[in-house]
Amino acid sequence: MKNPELIDIHGVKENITSLFNANNCNIFLFQDTVEDSNSGEELTANINKLKLFSKFALDRETEQYARLVTTDCFGNVHYLIASK
């Protein structure tokens, strides 16, 4: 998988680093995790192994992309989309 994007429920792009929990994760580890995943289920499992603020669930998978969803502590919905 490649080109991860984090967007809110309105389609506004967000900074992926806002998911990171202090020094427990970095953008290179996150990018490697995305690139090493071959399916939406694998991406979900691998992303949830990282120490992020939120846990993700697989929302939709097509031949072109996988979309994961999470809800933050304030009830805001965020989507992580990665191309295949």
Side-chain angles (χ1 to χ4, degrees):
M1 309 215 70
K2 57 188 176 184
N3 303 326
E5 290 185 317
L6 184 66
I7 60 173
D8 70 7
I9 198 162
H10 304 290
V12 177
K13 290 185 180 180
E14 299 179 308
N15 192 332
I16 289 177
T17 58
S18 65
L19 297 172
F20 300 167
N21 213 357
N23 293 326
N24 293 329
C25 188
N26 62 57
I27 193 64
F28 299 108
L29 178 59
F30 185 86
Q31 186 71 34
D32 290 346
T33 301
V34 172
E35 290 176 358
D36 293 344
S37 301
N38 296 314
S39 69
E41 287 182 11
E42 189 175 355
L43 178 62
T44 304
N46 291 342
I47 289 289
N48 285 333
K49 288 179 188 175
L50 300 176
K51 295 180 180 172
L52 303 176
F53 281 121
S54 302
K55 294 294 182 187
F56 285 87
L58 182 60
D59 184 52
R60 179 182 171 95
E61 184 171 14
T62 68
E63 291 183 14
Q64 292 81 29
Y65 68 90
R67 182 174 67 203
L68 281 57
V69 64
T70 189
T71 304
D72 65 19
C73 61
F74 301 109
N76 301 312
V77 177
H78 306 274
Y79 295 98
L80 178 68
I81 300 174
S83 303
K84 291 187 176 180

